[in-house]
């Protein structure tokens, strides 16, 4: 089977790449439908940007953004809710989301997954979006991220979650060198034994390593596909991407899926 493709759908004004494009519910639903047609296995809906420096969004506003989109797309594709708030996760699941994507890896959200029988993604982040890129320091980034993910995954299992995913959190409190070390040693994250999700899509470190430099995120498609393929080859079972159609083609190639 080919690796899975999770399409990113940010219902926000300020996400670093698609911010503002899908704030209108009708536009978000249309993009969700497009991603389904493009072959997305999961659509990940978020109402709060976690880009470096992003501010926290009030709970009611986050719900106002995501709920109409979840309600419209439920039952048509697997939906994931990208949130750090327990109540948002709970209501999103009640409306049809079956995966909780928790960039803050808190027990409170794993407990919602356990109670409701949904899947749970524990992602590594150093600090919070407000401060995470202020001089992140690790003794050994790969070992520390693996230790963190192991402990959060075990905690989720102990809480009763049946489907646990782990994610090294590329770009979340990491320098270029930290991101590259995690990609280079992704086999160590895979060896933890839980299915792995990786999100490199359009992130700024790609510009610095691929030669497009400080050019906008619109210039980072090729590097996004390259790192998605790299991650899938290293054993990631799912990649989180903005460019669904291109990445599904790449995933088919990796999975040798004959049309
Ligand atoms: N990256 C972002 C958001 N959520 N979730 C997981 N599991 N893994 C990731 O790498 C990840 C994530 C950041 O990307 P994006 O949603 O496009 O931007 P923003 O946070 O500005 O909305």
């Amino acid at each position: 089977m080919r690796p899975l493709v999770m399409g990113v759908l940010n219902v926000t004004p300020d996400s670093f790449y698609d911010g503002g494009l899908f704030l209108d519910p009708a536009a978000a639903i249309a993009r969700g439908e497009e991603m389904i047609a493009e072959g997305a296995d999961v659509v990940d809906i978020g109402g709060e940007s976690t880009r470096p420096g992003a501010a926290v969004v009030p709970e009611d506003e986050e719900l106002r953004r995501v709920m109409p989109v979840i309600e419209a797309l439920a039952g048509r594709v697997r939906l994931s809710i990208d949130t750090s708030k327990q109540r948002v996760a709970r209501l999103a699941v009640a409306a049809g989301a079956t995966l909780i994507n928790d960039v803050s890896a808190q027990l409170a959200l794993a407990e919602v997954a356990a109670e409701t029988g949904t899947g749970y993604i524990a992602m590594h982040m150093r600090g919070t979006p407000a401060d995470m890129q202020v001089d992140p320091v690790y003794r050994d980034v790969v070992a520390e991220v693996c230790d963190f993910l192991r402990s959060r995954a075990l905690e989720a299992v102990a809480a009763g979650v049946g489907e646990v995913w782990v994610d090294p959190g590329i770009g979340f409190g990491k320098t270029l060198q930290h991101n590259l070390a995690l990609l280079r040693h992704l086999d160590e994250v895979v060896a933890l034994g839980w299915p792995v999700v990786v999100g490199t899509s359009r992130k700024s470190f790609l510009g610095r390593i691929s030669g497009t430099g400080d050019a906008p995120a619109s210039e980072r498609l090729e590097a996004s596909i390259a790192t998605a393929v790299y991650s899938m080859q290293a054993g990631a079972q799912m990649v989180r991407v903005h460019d669904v159609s291109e990445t599904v083609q790449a995933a088919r190639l990796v999975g040798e899926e004959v049309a």
Side-chain angles (χ1 to χ4, degrees), residues 10 15-16 49-51 82 101 167 172 199 203 240 242:
N10 286 314
S15 288
F16 80 92
S49 171
T50 48
R51 74 182 196 290
D82 185 351
N101 177 19
D167 183 331
F172 285 85
K203 288 183 180 171
R240 180 183 181 278
H242 301 88

Side-chain angles (χ1 to χ4, degrees), residues 216-236:
S218 56
E219 304 290 310
R220 299 180 197 141
L221 172 63
E222 296 82 350
S224 298
I225 305 293
T227 47
V229 169
Y230 189 91
S231 302
M232 294 186 280
Q233 286 281 40

Side-chain angles (χ1 to χ4, degrees), residues 44-57:
D44 186 40
I45 300 171
E48 175 178 79
S49 171
T50 48
R51 74 182 196 290
V56 172
V57 173

